Amino acid sequence: EKIKEVLQRLGEVHREFEKAHYAGAFEVYTYRHIPTGYFLVIDPEQDGAKMNVSHYLYGQRRANNPVLAFTKHDHPHLFKTYWESLQWMMKDARRVVF
């Protein structure tokens, strides 16, 4: 039920972004494996790409988990490593259609 509520709220955000005619895309994917963290990626194909990654730590509230924030330009190897990990995670994911 919680996931359905969150997806509904994300759908509302998606519609707000569409109404505002922002460049780019807001996409949400679902998958069946247990999440171990989250990725936020902006403009991954650009040299100025940005990424935020947070690993979920056992025994800690997710709000208290550290977030790594870096750019492709300043940390190309780190970006590549996490980008490849994200591609594997999304391999069998399904895009949510709002």
Side-chain angles (χ1 to χ4, degrees), residues 36-90:
T36 59
Y38 83 84
F39 294 79
L40 171 66
V41 184
I42 301 170
D43 297 330
E45 304 302 325
Q46 305 297 318
D47 186 49
K50 297 178 183 179
M51 187 179 295
N52 290 1
V53 178
S54 180
H55 299 276
Y56 297 149
L57 303 176
Y58 291 105
Q60 297 295 316
R61 293 186 50 201
R62 289 187 178 170
N64 293 336
N65 287 297
V67 177
L68 305 172
F70 50 91
T71 65
K72 184 178 185 178
H73 180 266
D74 292 334
H75 301 282
H77 181 72
L78 185 63
F79 190 95
K80 181 178 183 280
T81 300
Y82 277 107
W83 181 249
E84 289 173 354
S85 178
L86 177 59
Q87 298 312 300
W88 276 101
M89 185 176 81
M90 291 179 55

Side-chain angles (χ1 to χ4, degrees), residues 9-28:
R9 288 196 315 240
L10 289 172
E12 292 169 8
V13 171
H14 176 79
R15 287 184 285 282
E16 287 178 26
F17 283 11
E18 281 187 330
K19 283 182 187 177
H21 301 288
Y22 292 129
F26 176 80
E27 298 177 350
V28 176

